[in-house]
Each structure stands twice: as C-alpha cells, then as structure tokens.
C-alpha cells in the first residue's frame, strides 16, 4: 500500500521535529488548531510509529506521548531507553543512555519502555 504525503502529515511531522520533548496528541491538536482534526492526528501518529518515524511513550500519568526519532535510522531503532517526565514543568524527554535488560534464558527482548518521573535539571 502506497502512503500519501498529505498536508496533515507534513504539519504533524514538522511540529514533532521542532519540539524538544515528547508531546501528547492533545498538545499537537492545540498547536495545530483547526488545520488538522483529532482523528487524523491520532491516525497519523500511529502510522508514524509503525513506520519508525516516532516512538510512543506511555507515561506514568496514563497518557501516550510521541517523540520524533532523532538517533534512529530506518534499519536501527534505538528505543531501549528511559523516558523522564518533570513533575514541575511537565516536560517529557528521552534520556540518552540505552538500557540493556538481562532476561532469563530463552527470552529475547525486542523493545523496552521505561519511565521515570521527578524533577528535571532546570526545575530541581
């Protein structure tokens, strides 16, 4: 199936690229206003996840946040890292260190999603 490069996809991708931290679907909707509807944003974000353009983060507040994959190539995705949410400013960011989890014999890890909340370096 050929995926079209629509105006909505371009707007959402540019917004994600220009954001220094992970954002929720609601935040993107506020930023984009009426130019892109809620269902389209949700559908495009999930499509970007499937394509390896962004990764989805489940926060400790129960919301999903989306971050543009900066250090990933089409062949190598480095998503095995912790994510951090500042309790004061609300910023959610990918922490740079990759995490290696030692699993029991016979298990094989494909992806890891770890989450930490606390106070960022600007707020602590």
């Amino acid at each position: 199936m050929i995926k079209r490069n629509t105006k909505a996809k371009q707007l959402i991708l540019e917004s994600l690229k220009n954001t220094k931290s992970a954002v929720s679907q609601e935040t993107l909707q506020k930023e984009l206003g009426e130019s892109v509807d809620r269902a389209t944003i949700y559908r495009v974000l999930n499509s970007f996840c499937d394509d390896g353009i962004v990764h989805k983060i489940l926060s400790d507040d129960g919301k999903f946040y989306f971050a543009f994959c900066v250090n990933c190539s089409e062949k190598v995705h480095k998503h095995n890292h912790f994510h951090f949410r500042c309790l004061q400013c609300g910023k959610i960011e990918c922490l740079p260190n990759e995490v290696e989890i030692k699993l029991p014999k016979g298990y094989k890890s494909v992806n890891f999603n770890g989450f930490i909340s606390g106070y960022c370096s600007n707020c602590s």
Side-chain angles (χ1 to χ4, degrees):
M1 177 187 221
I2 297 174
K3 294 186 179 184
R4 296 181 310 141
N5 188 15
T6 65
K7 179 88 170 158
K9 283 184 179 181
Q10 292 172 5
L11 288 170
I12 294 167
L13 186 59
E14 283 306 310
S15 180
L16 289 169
K17 283 182 178 179
N18 293 328
T19 304
K20 300 253 189 266
S21 65
V23 295
S24 67
Q25 184 262 349
E26 295 86 9
T27 301
L28 278 172
Q29 189 171 359
K30 285 178 188 173
E31 182 180 320
L32 298 172
E34 295 181 18
S35 60
V36 184
D37 66 78
R38 183 176 150 215
T40 301
I41 293 171
Y42 185 76
R43 187 174 59 253
V44 169
L45 287 172
N46 283 308
S47 173
F48 284 167
C49 288
D50 293 343
D51 294 342
I53 297 168
V54 303
H55 62 278
K56 189 187 301 190
I57 303 158
L58 177 59
S59 172
D60 61 342
D61 63 2
K63 287 185 180 180
F64 282 108
Y65 293 83
F66 299 85
F68 181 70
C69 293
V70 178
N71 296 321
C72 299
S73 70
E74 289 180 22
K75 295 178 182 170
V76 179
H77 293 280
K78 297 187 177 193
H79 296 178
N80 298 334
H81 54 265
F82 279 100
H83 300 94
F84 186 90
R85 180 173 70 95
C86 180
L87 296 172
Q88 185 164 327
C89 69
K91 180 178 177 180
I92 294 182
E93 59 188 322
C94 299
L95 297 178
N97 299 6
E98 184 141 351
V99 177
E100 191 173 325
I101 303 294
K102 191 169 186 160
L103 296 173
K105 188 175 181 172
Y107 289 80
K108 181 181 177 186
S109 174
V110 175
N111 195 5
F112 170 81
N113 185 9
F115 203 88
I116 301 169
S117 60
Y119 298 97
C120 71
S121 59
N122 292 331
C123 295
S124 61

